[in-house]
Amino acid sequence: MAQITNVLYTGKTHTTGGRDGQSRSDDGRLDVKLTPPGGHGTGTNPEQLLGAGWSACFIGALGIAAAERKIALPKGTAVDTEIDLGTGDGGYYLQARLNVTLPGLAIDVANVLVQAAHRTCPYSKATRGNIDVEIHVVDSGIAA
């Protein structure tokens, strides 16, 4: 397992009430009500929060991959993330789908960027080998 040698940032949160509670960051920038998936409350849930964090990080990794290849990351780059919570042998599990939009890039170039981003994104690294993950380029706009 890789070890961190230089901590760049530590996100700190305080959560009470579990899936039907509240989560706040130490700096006050995050303050969310939590509601179980499919619940009738007004809050978000951990699966949505994981999707939001992962997709934001993945776009950052796409930017790095594009810059290394001297390619401009297209305006309108987006990642639609779906996080499934389900059951299987032995309990509850997650699985994920990341649908990446890179408008105007040739599909082969888009796929290269997506694969590079998946190798370097810290969320992708954290989930690799732990949950099923599918990543698709859903709109590159230009055929190979």
Side-chain angles (χ1 to χ4, degrees):
M1 179 168 59
Q3 298 291 315
I4 292 177
T5 57
N6 181 30
V7 174
L8 302 175
Y9 175 76
T10 300
K12 297 179 183 179
T13 58
H14 178 77
T15 303
T16 57
R19 287 182 171 270
D20 198 15
Q22 184 82 21
S23 190
R24 293 182 181 95
S25 62
D26 66 331
D27 62 7
R29 293 180 182 176
L30 176 72
D31 188 354
V32 295
K33 181 175 173 52
L34 301 170
T35 301
H40 298 291
T42 59
T44 188
N45 60 65
E47 291 72 28
Q48 291 170 331
L49 293 170
L50 174 59
W54 194 348
S55 58
C57 186
F58 200 87
I59 290 171
L62 284 168
I64 291 169
E68 288 174 348
R69 291 159 179 79
K70 298 182 182 6
I71 299 169
L73 197 60
K75 187 174 187 163
T77 294
V79 178
D80 294 304
T81 306
E82 301 171 357
I83 306 294
D84 297 326
L85 169 65
T87 58
D89 290 339
Y92 292 93
Y93 297 95
L94 297 174
Q95 64 186 19
R97 288 172 303 287
L98 281 68
N99 298 304
V100 182
T101 302
L102 292 162
L105 288 185
I107 190 70
D108 57 336
V109 173
N111 280 320
V112 166
L113 294 182
V114 165
Q115 292 308 312
H118 188 49
R119 281 191 304 276
T120 61
C121 172
Y123 280 76
S124 293
K125 288 179 183 180
T127 58
R128 187 170 291 118
N130 295 309
I131 68 171
D132 289 331
V133 177
E134 294 178 12
I135 301 178
H136 304 279
V137 175
V138 295
D139 179 14
S140 68
I142 300 175

